[in-house]
Amino acid sequence: MAEFPVNFAIETLGSLLVQETKLLRSVKKEVESIKRELEIIKSFLRDADARAAIEEEGESNGGVVSTWVKQVREEAYHIEDVLDEYMLNKAKHPHDFDSDLMRLLCKMCCFINELILSHGISSKIKDIKSSLADIQRRAEHYNLRHIDQGDVVPHDSRVGSFFIQGAEVVGIESTMDQLIGLLVNGTSNRSVVAIVGEGGLGKTTLAGNIYKNDTVKKHFDCQAWITVGKESTKMDILRKVVQEFEGVTGSIYGEMDKMEENDLLATLERQLKDKCYMVVFDDVWKADFWGYIEYALTENNKSSRIMLTTRNKGIADLIPFVNVCRIQPLPSDKAFELFRRKAFGPQGCCPPELEKLSRDILRKCGGLPLAIVAVGGLLSNKNKATFEWKKLLDDLGSRFRSDSHLKDCNKVLLEGYYGLPHHLKSCLLYFGFFPESYSINCARLIRLWIAEGFVPYSKRLTSEQVAEEFLIDLINRSLVQVVETDFMGRPRYCRVHDLMHEIILRKTEYLGFSHFVNREHPNLPNKIRRISIQGSTDSVLESIKDSKIRSVSLFNVDRMPNSFITALVDFKLIKVLDFEDSPIEYLPEGVGNLFHLHYLSVKNTKVNVLPKSIGKLLNLETLNLKQSHVSMLPIEIKYLKKLRYLAAYSLGEHGTYGRAVKIPRGLGSLMDLRKLFFVEANSEELRKLTHLRKLGVWLKNGNGNDLCACIANMEKLESLVVQSTSRDEVLDIESMVSPLHGLQRLYLKGNMKKLPDWIFKLEYLVRIGLDLSGLNDDPIRVLQALPNLLELRLHNTCHDEQLHFKEGWFPKLKILFLFDFKEVELIIIEQGAMCNLESLRIGPCPRLKEIPIGLEHLRNLRILLFILMLKEIYYMIKDEKWKKVTQHIPDFLVTFEMEGKLSYHTIKHLSSILLVDFEQLIEKVERSNESSYS
């Protein structure tokens, strides 16, 4: 993990050499020399990191190679500090003066300052060069070698705890039956099944039980089980396959070590040409795996099957026509059953006094069978006393490294980290910045990665696109879990498993990457670079006063004195200040001195004014003011030429945008802006922002002719929100000359008689939201022709008594919101309409008393929500057709308001109670609401 800071230092040195043309010749020469020294040291780092990992796994953290890696890392950080301080000092000397005399004096001052700065950095660079020379000599002394790929930790990944005994298998029975069906039935062509999931989920256990199944064994002429692992080469795999089949088919080839690739391929051809064979490749890590075996295993139309297990879905995605089975963590009931068997014996029961503690322990295990079996086995040998179990629960994270029962589980989880290339290691370690079980907004995470310098420059893609590829890679490798996806199936919120979070915390502290502080862990080391403050800011400043802090984030902080914020901005090298959801009320003027600040968020805080000094943040890329009290941007914001993301709005009901902010003269000079929302329309400034990808504007006078002219020039625009101040104010945006060919998301609020014609030319539009009054046409009838629409949100846009969805309408639609349809009495859904709909949310519709006709046709419907419609649901439940038309819907809910709070009930629960009890609930809700409004 020293490779990232070294890479970063090399890039920074290179940038310095390009930009700082006024550096003294001697200094420039020294900088070039340091850059070369670092590149040489970098060539040894992968071997050193791998050896250091082995030392760490062997619990010898003080090993010589580990110490060498630590020294490299610290020197790389030192280089970054020296260069950042140099650039900060340069930034303190402005060069813009009006008069000739002042310009001459400025040149003289600048020359003197350059000499002072250059000589200052020169002495520091000489010290750095001397240190690097010592480090390189030690590398040669330790016989470190250059290797091309990421860390290879040569311990056996197939530890015994992977193989849960057949009697202990829980929760995989249906998956097992499904996969056996794929293997023994179907096409005569050779086919592939991939079992994908994170370490410890039981992929090998599942594959092993299938492999040994009697039905499977009888079906195939021959079988082979190949454990692949990280270290296997193509030749290793081919030899293993030949060897496995040799005993079954009687091959005459015995000395495989001497065989070339062509000989091995010919042998396999002879072995398998007339056989219905099955091969399992367990624990596949390399992306080019399929290229190793695609032509080695013959396609003989004998219904042969290949099965593989891997943590990386990206490997399976490279295989044509593969059947992917993604293993999920055990649900709570199955997890408890497995735990009970291990902790109390096959026929044992959990004592009532231990049940809550048992379930708390299981939450830590997160549905991982390997962890559940390991922890259950450990507890089976302990006294069945609550204090013993509570002690283990409190110390479970550290036990996974130290306890002999749990170390194998720890190794399995760590392997995923060790298998990462260096750039992804930094991205994964950043999850340690967030609290345990924290669901992270993916867009926020991506912007933080960019701000931290984890995302390299790409000519082909934007920084955001590169970072999104990094995140997808971590998800595919089963190291990051997707909590929620958006309407297009992209990850929206993500997290890491609690046990992986424990591992990440240990790694971040060991590597000096970041530290967190809370009431339980108030102590910090002397020098840290990133700090996550969780719960309390007490004594933090004293602990970090000697550190070169780069990032500060706050979580669940209930109180923060003004003195803390004022003192925080004295750390001049800070890149990230994330105050989201914190109790701050202002930003001090000193925030403008943070020259290196890339990311500033006051989302969901009480901050209402930005200081004028914000104009000095010349490196700021992200400014997040969402749901803060900021209503006007200072004119100084026009100097932030690197700003890419500027968000400032409050949310209204049903996810609409509330108050917009005023933009000052000069904002149009921010040519790097990619996202700007939600602002008052200012055509003079907006027409200059031709690179925008997301724009949200508030049209105050309703006349959108100038706005349409601006938008027509935004060729890269993907998302557009246009609102009038109210639904009654006319929204005139008909005059778009040419459609926005790349527009994917559109939201309109205001008053208009008909939808603009250009909307129907948006062939890539996937989401549209309308909150419009005055429409003469039924929007559903006209929007159904949009070919790629996935999400439709309508708010009181239809005044007919009937909503009729006809056959063939909205063929790709997945999500439909129908808000506040006061006139609707009947909804009709013909067979073949909205055939891919997954989520339907309706309400309030006070006149809708009948079950939507044709609801049973929506076979893919997963969520049906009625909003503020408790009384209406009562009438629907009484209908004798109720159960028949709704039995296929997994999540069926109704919301209602009581005592000023929104409550949810599942329809399953309401259907099960007596009608008289249901009526009493309705009366209670109505009485509560009457008293609330009186």
Side-chain angles (χ1 to χ4, degrees), residues 667-718:
L667 189 82
S669 65
L670 305 184
M671 299 301 293
D672 272 356
L673 264 182
R674 296 298 185 267
K675 295 187 178 182
L676 175 65
F677 58 102
F678 186 61
V679 297
E680 292 186 7
N682 182 328
S683 301
E684 182 181 349
E685 301 299 332
L686 291 178
R687 67 166 44 95
K688 303 170 188 175
L689 302 176
T690 56
H691 294 292
L692 282 177
R693 284 178 163 79
K694 182 171 185 177
L695 173 65
V697 293
W698 192 340
L699 206 57
K700 292 196 76 171
N701 58 11
N703 185 352
N705 291 337
D706 290 341
L707 178 64
C708 286
C710 295
I711 293 171
N713 291 323
M714 298 176 183
E715 296 180 354
K716 298 179 180 179
L717 202 64
E718 297 172 356

Short mmCIF file of all heavy atoms in Angstrom, two decimals, residues 667-718:
data_model
loop_
_atom_site.label_atom_id
_atom_site.label_comp_id
_atom_site.label_asym_id
_atom_site.label_seq_id
_atom_site.Cartn_x
_atom_site.Cartn_y
_atom_site.Cartn_z
N LEU A 667 -20.51 34.02 -13.01
CA LEU A 667 -20.53 32.57 -12.82
C LEU A 667 -20.27 31.85 -14.15
O LEU A 667 -19.72 30.75 -14.16
CB LEU A 667 -21.87 32.11 -12.24
CG LEU A 667 -21.92 30.65 -11.82
CD1 LEU A 667 -21.30 30.48 -10.44
CD2 LEU A 667 -23.34 30.10 -11.83
N GLY A 668 -20.62 32.47 -15.25
CA GLY A 668 -20.42 31.85 -16.56
C GLY A 668 -18.97 31.62 -16.90
O GLY A 668 -18.67 30.91 -17.88
N SER A 669 -18.06 32.19 -16.13
CA SER A 669 -16.63 31.97 -16.39
C SER A 669 -16.14 30.62 -15.87
O SER A 669 -15.01 30.23 -16.14
CB SER A 669 -15.80 33.09 -15.76
OG SER A 669 -15.91 33.06 -14.34
N LEU A 670 -16.99 29.91 -15.13
CA LEU A 670 -16.60 28.62 -14.56
C LEU A 670 -16.81 27.52 -15.61
O LEU A 670 -17.76 26.73 -15.55
CB LEU A 670 -17.40 28.31 -13.28
CG LEU A 670 -17.35 29.39 -12.19
CD1 LEU A 670 -18.09 28.93 -10.94
CD2 LEU A 670 -15.91 29.74 -11.85
N MET A 671 -15.91 27.46 -16.56
CA MET A 671 -16.09 26.61 -17.73
C MET A 671 -15.95 25.13 -17.42
O MET A 671 -16.32 24.29 -18.23
CB MET A 671 -15.09 27.00 -18.82
CG MET A 671 -15.25 28.44 -19.30
SD MET A 671 -16.89 28.77 -19.96
CE MET A 671 -16.87 27.74 -21.41
N ASP A 672 -15.40 24.78 -16.26
CA ASP A 672 -15.26 23.37 -15.90
C ASP A 672 -16.51 22.80 -15.22
O ASP A 672 -16.55 21.60 -14.92
CB ASP A 672 -14.06 23.17 -14.96
CG ASP A 672 -12.77 22.96 -15.73
OD1 ASP A 672 -12.84 22.88 -16.97
OD2 ASP A 672 -11.70 22.87 -15.11
N LEU A 673 -17.51 23.65 -14.96
CA LEU A 673 -18.71 23.17 -14.28
C LEU A 673 -19.39 22.07 -15.09
O LEU A 673 -19.63 22.21 -16.29
CB LEU A 673 -19.71 24.32 -14.08
CG LEU A 673 -19.70 25.04 -12.73
CD1 LEU A 673 -20.79 26.10 -12.70
CD2 LEU A 673 -19.89 24.08 -11.57
N ARG A 674 -19.67 20.96 -14.40
CA ARG A 674 -20.39 19.85 -15.02
C ARG A 674 -21.80 19.73 -14.46
O ARG A 674 -22.71 19.32 -15.17
CB ARG A 674 -19.63 18.53 -14.77
CG ARG A 674 -18.24 18.47 -15.43
CD ARG A 674 -18.34 18.59 -16.94
NE ARG A 674 -17.04 18.42 -17.59
CZ ARG A 674 -16.23 19.41 -17.90
NH1 ARG A 674 -16.58 20.66 -17.60
NH2 ARG A 674 -15.09 19.20 -18.51
N LYS A 675 -21.97 20.07 -13.18
CA LYS A 675 -23.30 19.97 -12.55
C LYS A 675 -23.60 21.26 -11.83
O LYS A 675 -22.82 21.73 -10.99
CB LYS A 675 -23.34 18.78 -11.58
CG LYS A 675 -23.17 17.44 -12.27
CD LYS A 675 -23.40 16.28 -11.32
CE LYS A 675 -23.26 14.94 -12.05
NZ LYS A 675 -23.52 13.79 -11.17
N LEU A 676 -24.75 21.85 -12.13
CA LEU A 676 -25.19 23.10 -11.50
C LEU A 676 -26.69 23.00 -11.23
O LEU A 676 -27.49 22.96 -12.15
CB LEU A 676 -24.90 24.29 -12.43
CG LEU A 676 -25.41 25.66 -11.96
CD1 LEU A 676 -24.69 26.09 -10.69
CD2 LEU A 676 -25.23 26.71 -13.06
N PHE A 677 -27.05 22.96 -9.97
CA PHE A 677 -28.46 22.92 -9.61
C PHE A 677 -28.61 23.22 -8.11
O PHE A 677 -27.69 22.90 -7.35
CB PHE A 677 -29.08 21.56 -9.96
CG PHE A 677 -28.41 20.38 -9.29
CD1 PHE A 677 -28.98 19.77 -8.19
CD2 PHE A 677 -27.19 19.89 -9.75
CE1 PHE A 677 -28.36 18.68 -7.57
CE2 PHE A 677 -26.58 18.80 -9.13
CZ PHE A 677 -27.16 18.21 -8.04
N PHE A 678 -29.57 23.88 -7.66
CA PHE A 678 -30.75 24.37 -8.33
C PHE A 678 -30.66 25.89 -8.23
O PHE A 678 -30.58 26.42 -7.11
CB PHE A 678 -31.97 23.77 -7.62
CG PHE A 678 -33.28 24.05 -8.24
CD1 PHE A 678 -33.54 23.62 -9.52
CD2 PHE A 678 -34.25 24.75 -7.57
CE1 PHE A 678 -34.76 23.88 -10.10
CE2 PHE A 678 -35.46 24.99 -8.15
CZ PHE A 678 -35.72 24.57 -9.41
N VAL A 679 -30.64 26.61 -9.36
CA VAL A 679 -30.34 28.04 -9.35
C VAL A 679 -31.43 28.81 -10.09
O VAL A 679 -32.15 28.26 -10.92
CB VAL A 679 -28.98 28.32 -10.01
CG1 VAL A 679 -27.86 27.66 -9.23
CG2 VAL A 679 -28.96 27.86 -11.47
N GLU A 680 -31.53 30.10 -9.76
CA GLU A 680 -32.45 30.97 -10.50
C GLU A 680 -31.89 31.19 -11.90
O GLU A 680 -30.70 31.43 -12.08
CB GLU A 680 -32.61 32.30 -9.77
CG GLU A 680 -33.35 32.18 -8.44
CD GLU A 680 -33.64 33.52 -7.80
OE1 GLU A 680 -33.37 34.56 -8.45
OE2 GLU A 680 -34.12 33.54 -6.66
N ALA A 681 -32.77 31.11 -12.88
CA ALA A 681 -32.33 31.21 -14.27
C ALA A 681 -31.70 32.57 -14.55
O ALA A 681 -32.25 33.61 -14.18
CB ALA A 681 -33.52 31.00 -15.20
N ASN A 682 -30.53 32.55 -15.16
CA ASN A 682 -29.82 33.75 -15.56
C ASN A 682 -29.17 33.45 -16.91
O ASN A 682 -28.07 32.90 -16.98
CB ASN A 682 -28.76 34.12 -14.51
CG ASN A 682 -28.01 35.40 -14.84
OD1 ASN A 682 -27.80 35.72 -16.00
ND2 ASN A 682 -27.61 36.12 -13.81
N SER A 683 -29.88 33.76 -17.96
CA SER A 683 -29.46 33.34 -19.30
C SER A 683 -28.11 33.91 -19.69
O SER A 683 -27.32 33.25 -20.38
CB SER A 683 -30.51 33.77 -20.34
OG SER A 683 -31.76 33.18 -20.03
N GLU A 684 -27.81 35.14 -19.24
CA GLU A 684 -26.54 35.77 -19.59
C GLU A 684 -25.36 34.92 -19.12
O GLU A 684 -24.35 34.80 -19.82
CB GLU A 684 -26.46 37.16 -18.97
CG GLU A 684 -25.20 37.91 -19.33
CD GLU A 684 -25.15 39.29 -18.69
OE1 GLU A 684 -26.18 39.73 -18.14
OE2 GLU A 684 -24.07 39.90 -18.73
N GLU A 685 -25.49 34.32 -17.92
CA GLU A 685 -24.40 33.50 -17.38
C GLU A 685 -24.48 32.06 -17.88
O GLU A 685 -23.48 31.43 -18.20
CB GLU A 685 -24.43 33.52 -15.84
CG GLU A 685 -24.29 34.91 -15.23
CD GLU A 685 -22.97 35.58 -15.59
OE1 GLU A 685 -21.98 34.87 -15.84
OE2 GLU A 685 -22.94 36.82 -15.63
N LEU A 686 -25.70 31.51 -17.95
CA LEU A 686 -25.86 30.10 -18.30
C LEU A 686 -25.42 29.79 -19.73
O LEU A 686 -24.93 28.70 -20.00
CB LEU A 686 -27.32 29.68 -18.11
CG LEU A 686 -27.84 29.62 -16.66
CD1 LEU A 686 -29.31 29.24 -16.63
CD2 LEU A 686 -27.03 28.64 -15.83
N ARG A 687 -25.58 30.76 -20.64
CA ARG A 687 -25.25 30.47 -22.04
C ARG A 687 -23.77 30.19 -22.23
O ARG A 687 -23.36 29.60 -23.24
CB ARG A 687 -25.71 31.61 -22.96
CG ARG A 687 -24.98 32.92 -22.79
CD ARG A 687 -25.30 33.85 -23.99
NE ARG A 687 -26.69 33.85 -24.32
CZ ARG A 687 -27.60 34.74 -23.89
NH1 ARG A 687 -27.21 35.70 -23.06
NH2 ARG A 687 -28.84 34.67 -24.25
N LYS A 688 -22.93 30.56 -21.26
CA LYS A 688 -21.49 30.31 -21.36
C LYS A 688 -21.10 28.92 -20.88
O LYS A 688 -20.00 28.46 -21.16
CB LYS A 688 -20.73 31.37 -20.55
CG LYS A 688 -21.04 32.81 -20.97
CD LYS A 688 -20.44 33.80 -19.98
CE LYS A 688 -20.90 35.22 -20.27
NZ LYS A 688 -20.42 36.16 -19.22
N LEU A 689 -21.98 28.27 -20.15
CA LEU A 689 -21.64 26.98 -19.52
C LEU A 689 -22.01 25.83 -20.45
O LEU A 689 -22.94 25.05 -20.19
CB LEU A 689 -22.37 26.86 -18.18
CG LEU A 689 -22.07 27.98 -17.17
CD1 LEU A 689 -22.91 27.80 -15.91
CD2 LEU A 689 -20.58 28.00 -16.81
N THR A 690 -21.29 25.70 -21.52
CA THR A 690 -21.65 24.74 -22.58
C THR A 690 -21.25 23.30 -22.24
O THR A 690 -21.63 22.38 -22.95
CB THR A 690 -21.00 25.14 -23.91
OG1 THR A 690 -19.58 25.25 -23.71
CG2 THR A 690 -21.54 26.48 -24.38
N HIS A 691 -20.48 23.11 -21.15
CA HIS A 691 -20.02 21.75 -20.81
C HIS A 691 -20.88 21.10 -19.73
O HIS A 691 -20.56 20.00 -19.27
CB HIS A 691 -18.56 21.78 -20.34
CG HIS A 691 -17.60 22.19 -21.41
ND1 HIS A 691 -17.33 21.40 -22.50
CD2 HIS A 691 -16.86 23.31 -21.57
CE1 HIS A 691 -16.45 22.01 -23.27
NE2 HIS A 691 -16.16 23.17 -22.74
N LEU A 692 -21.96 21.75 -19.32
CA LEU A 692 -22.81 21.20 -18.26
C LEU A 692 -23.40 19.86 -18.66
O LEU A 692 -23.81 19.67 -19.81
CB LEU A 692 -23.94 22.17 -17.93
CG LEU A 692 -23.60 23.38 -17.06
CD1 LEU A 692 -24.83 24.26 -16.89
CD2 LEU A 692 -23.08 22.95 -15.69
N ARG A 693 -23.45 18.96 -17.67
CA ARG A 693 -24.13 17.67 -17.86
C ARG A 693 -25.42 17.60 -17.06
O ARG A 693 -26.31 16.82 -17.38
CB ARG A 693 -23.19 16.52 -17.45
CG ARG A 693 -22.11 16.24 -18.49
CD ARG A 693 -21.16 15.15 -18.06
NE ARG A 693 -20.41 14.63 -19.18
CZ ARG A 693 -19.36 15.21 -19.73
NH1 ARG A 693 -18.93 16.37 -19.24
NH2 ARG A 693 -18.73 14.68 -20.75
N LYS A 694 -25.51 18.40 -16.00
CA LYS A 694 -26.74 18.44 -15.20
C LYS A 694 -27.05 19.89 -14.86
O LYS A 694 -26.18 20.62 -14.38
CB LYS A 694 -26.58 17.62 -13.92
CG LYS A 694 -27.85 17.58 -13.07
CD LYS A 694 -27.72 16.59 -11.93
CE LYS A 694 -29.04 16.47 -11.17
NZ LYS A 694 -28.98 15.46 -10.10
N LEU A 695 -28.28 20.30 -15.11
CA LEU A 695 -28.70 21.68 -14.86
C LEU A 695 -30.09 21.69 -14.25
O LEU A 695 -31.00 21.03 -14.76
CB LEU A 695 -28.69 22.49 -16.17
CG LEU A 695 -29.25 23.91 -16.09
CD1 LEU A 695 -28.39 24.78 -15.18
CD2 LEU A 695 -29.36 24.53 -17.48
N GLY A 696 -30.23 22.45 -13.17
CA GLY A 696 -31.54 22.66 -12.57
C GLY A 696 -31.77 24.15 -12.39
O GLY A 696 -30.96 24.83 -11.76
N VAL A 697 -32.87 24.70 -13.00
CA VAL A 697 -33.12 26.14 -12.95
C VAL A 697 -34.55 26.43 -12.52
O VAL A 697 -35.47 25.67 -12.78
CB VAL A 697 -32.85 26.81 -14.32
CG1 VAL A 697 -31.38 26.75 -14.66
CG2 VAL A 697 -33.68 26.18 -15.42
N TRP A 698 -34.66 27.58 -11.87
CA TRP A 698 -35.96 28.11 -11.44
C TRP A 698 -36.27 29.30 -12.35
O TRP A 698 -35.56 30.30 -12.34
CB TRP A 698 -35.86 28.56 -9.99
CG TRP A 698 -37.19 28.85 -9.35
CD1 TRP A 698 -38.36 29.13 -9.97
CD2 TRP A 698 -37.46 28.88 -7.96
NE1 TRP A 698 -39.35 29.33 -9.07
CE2 TRP A 698 -38.83 29.19 -7.81
CE3 TRP A 698 -36.68 28.68 -6.82
CZ2 TRP A 698 -39.43 29.32 -6.56
CZ3 TRP A 698 -37.30 28.81 -5.59
CH2 TRP A 698 -38.64 29.11 -5.46
N LEU A 699 -37.33 29.17 -13.12
CA LEU A 699 -37.71 30.20 -14.08
C LEU A 699 -38.72 31.13 -13.41
O LEU A 699 -39.90 30.78 -13.26
CB LEU A 699 -38.33 29.53 -15.32
CG LEU A 699 -38.24 30.26 -16.64
CD1 LEU A 699 -36.81 30.58 -17.01
CD2 LEU A 699 -38.89 29.42 -17.74
N LYS A 700 -38.29 32.34 -13.03
CA LYS A 700 -39.14 33.19 -12.20
C LYS A 700 -40.27 33.85 -12.97
O LYS A 700 -41.38 33.95 -12.50
CB LYS A 700 -38.29 34.27 -11.50
CG LYS A 700 -37.35 33.72 -10.46
CD LYS A 700 -36.82 34.78 -9.54
CE LYS A 700 -37.84 35.21 -8.52
NZ LYS A 700 -37.28 36.11 -7.50
N ASN A 701 -39.99 34.28 -14.20
CA ASN A 701 -41.04 34.99 -14.94
C ASN A 701 -41.79 34.10 -15.91
O ASN A 701 -42.68 34.55 -16.62
CB ASN A 701 -40.44 36.19 -15.69
CG ASN A 701 -39.35 35.75 -16.65
OD1 ASN A 701 -39.18 34.56 -16.90
ND2 ASN A 701 -38.62 36.73 -17.20
N GLY A 702 -41.45 32.83 -15.96
CA GLY A 702 -42.15 31.89 -16.82
C GLY A 702 -41.70 31.91 -18.26
O GLY A 702 -41.91 30.96 -19.00
N ASN A 703 -41.09 33.01 -18.73
CA ASN A 703 -40.67 33.12 -20.12
C ASN A 703 -39.35 32.39 -20.31
O ASN A 703 -38.30 32.83 -19.84
CB ASN A 703 -40.53 34.59 -20.50
CG ASN A 703 -40.20 34.78 -21.97
OD1 ASN A 703 -39.92 33.79 -22.67
ND2 ASN A 703 -40.24 36.01 -22.43
N GLY A 704 -39.38 31.28 -21.02
CA GLY A 704 -38.19 30.45 -21.15
C GLY A 704 -37.51 30.54 -22.49
O GLY A 704 -36.68 29.70 -22.81
N ASN A 705 -37.85 31.57 -23.31
CA ASN A 705 -37.24 31.65 -24.65
C ASN A 705 -35.72 31.75 -24.57
O ASN A 705 -34.99 31.05 -25.28
CB ASN A 705 -37.80 32.86 -25.42
CG ASN A 705 -39.26 32.65 -25.79
OD1 ASN A 705 -39.73 31.52 -25.87
ND2 ASN A 705 -39.98 33.75 -26.00
N ASP A 706 -35.22 32.66 -23.70
CA ASP A 706 -33.77 32.82 -23.56
C ASP A 706 -33.15 31.54 -23.00
O ASP A 706 -32.06 31.13 -23.41
CB ASP A 706 -33.45 34.00 -22.66
CG ASP A 706 -33.79 35.34 -23.30
OD1 ASP A 706 -33.92 35.36 -24.54
OD2 ASP A 706 -33.92 36.34 -22.58
N LEU A 707 -33.84 30.93 -22.04
CA LEU A 707 -33.32 29.70 -21.44
C LEU A 707 -33.21 28.60 -22.50
O LEU A 707 -32.23 27.86 -22.54
CB LEU A 707 -34.23 29.25 -20.30
CG LEU A 707 -33.84 27.94 -19.61
CD1 LEU A 707 -32.49 28.09 -18.91
CD2 LEU A 707 -34.90 27.51 -18.61
N CYS A 708 -34.22 28.48 -23.36
CA CYS A 708 -34.19 27.47 -24.41
C CYS A 708 -32.99 27.67 -25.33
O CYS A 708 -32.35 26.70 -25.76
CB CYS A 708 -35.48 27.50 -25.22
SG CYS A 708 -36.90 26.81 -24.35
N ALA A 709 -32.68 28.93 -25.63
CA ALA A 709 -31.52 29.22 -26.48
C ALA A 709 -30.23 28.79 -25.79
O ALA A 709 -29.32 28.26 -26.43
CB ALA A 709 -31.49 30.71 -26.81
N CYS A 710 -30.16 29.00 -24.46
CA CYS A 710 -28.97 28.57 -23.71
C CYS A 710 -28.83 27.06 -23.72
O CYS A 710 -27.75 26.51 -24.00
CB CYS A 710 -29.06 29.05 -22.26
SG CYS A 710 -29.05 30.81 -22.05
N ILE A 711 -29.93 26.40 -23.42
CA ILE A 711 -29.90 24.95 -23.27
C ILE A 711 -29.56 24.27 -24.59
O ILE A 711 -28.87 23.24 -24.62
CB ILE A 711 -31.26 24.45 -22.73
CG1 ILE A 711 -31.46 24.94 -21.29
CG2 ILE A 711 -31.34 22.94 -22.77
CD1 ILE A 711 -32.85 24.68 -20.75
N ALA A 712 -30.01 24.84 -25.68
CA ALA A 712 -29.76 24.23 -27.00
C ALA A 712 -28.26 24.12 -27.29
O ALA A 712 -27.85 23.28 -28.09
CB ALA A 712 -30.46 25.05 -28.08
N ASN A 713 -27.44 24.97 -26.64
CA ASN A 713 -25.99 24.93 -26.87
C ASN A 713 -25.28 23.95 -25.93
O ASN A 713 -24.07 23.76 -26.06
CB ASN A 713 -25.40 26.33 -26.69
CG ASN A 713 -25.84 27.28 -27.79
OD1 ASN A 713 -25.97 26.87 -28.93
ND2 ASN A 713 -26.06 28.53 -27.44
N MET A 714 -26.00 23.38 -24.98
CA MET A 714 -25.39 22.46 -24.01
C MET A 714 -25.46 21.04 -24.57
O MET A 714 -26.30 20.23 -24.18
CB MET A 714 -26.11 22.57 -22.66
CG MET A 714 -26.01 23.95 -22.04
SD MET A 714 -26.95 24.08 -20.49
CE MET A 714 -26.71 25.82 -20.08
N GLU A 715 -24.56 20.73 -25.47
CA GLU A 715 -24.63 19.47 -26.21
C GLU A 715 -24.39 18.24 -25.34
O GLU A 715 -24.76 17.13 -25.72
CB GLU A 715 -23.63 19.49 -27.37
CG GLU A 715 -23.94 20.56 -28.40
CD GLU A 715 -22.94 20.56 -29.55
OE1 GLU A 715 -21.96 19.80 -29.47
OE2 GLU A 715 -23.15 21.31 -30.53
N LYS A 716 -23.76 18.43 -24.18
CA LYS A 716 -23.44 17.29 -23.31
C LYS A 716 -24.46 17.12 -22.18
O LYS A 716 -24.29 16.26 -21.33
CB LYS A 716 -22.04 17.46 -22.72
CG LYS A 716 -20.95 17.48 -23.78
CD LYS A 716 -19.57 17.66 -23.16
CE LYS A 716 -18.49 17.68 -24.23
NZ LYS A 716 -17.14 17.88 -23.65
N LEU A 717 -25.52 17.92 -22.20
CA LEU A 717 -26.50 17.90 -21.11
C LEU A 717 -27.21 16.54 -21.03
O LEU A 717 -27.70 16.03 -22.04
CB LEU A 717 -27.53 19.01 -21.30
CG LEU A 717 -28.29 19.45 -20.04
CD1 LEU A 717 -27.33 20.07 -19.02
CD2 LEU A 717 -29.39 20.44 -20.40
N GLU A 718 -27.22 15.95 -19.83
CA GLU A 718 -27.87 14.66 -19.60
C GLU A 718 -29.10 14.78 -18.71
O GLU A 718 -29.99 13.94 -18.78
CB GLU A 718 -26.88 13.69 -18.95
CG GLU A 718 -25.67 13.36 -19.83
CD GLU A 718 -24.63 12.54 -19.08
OE1 GLU A 718 -24.82 12.30 -17.87
OE2 GLU A 718 -23.63 12.15 -19.70
#
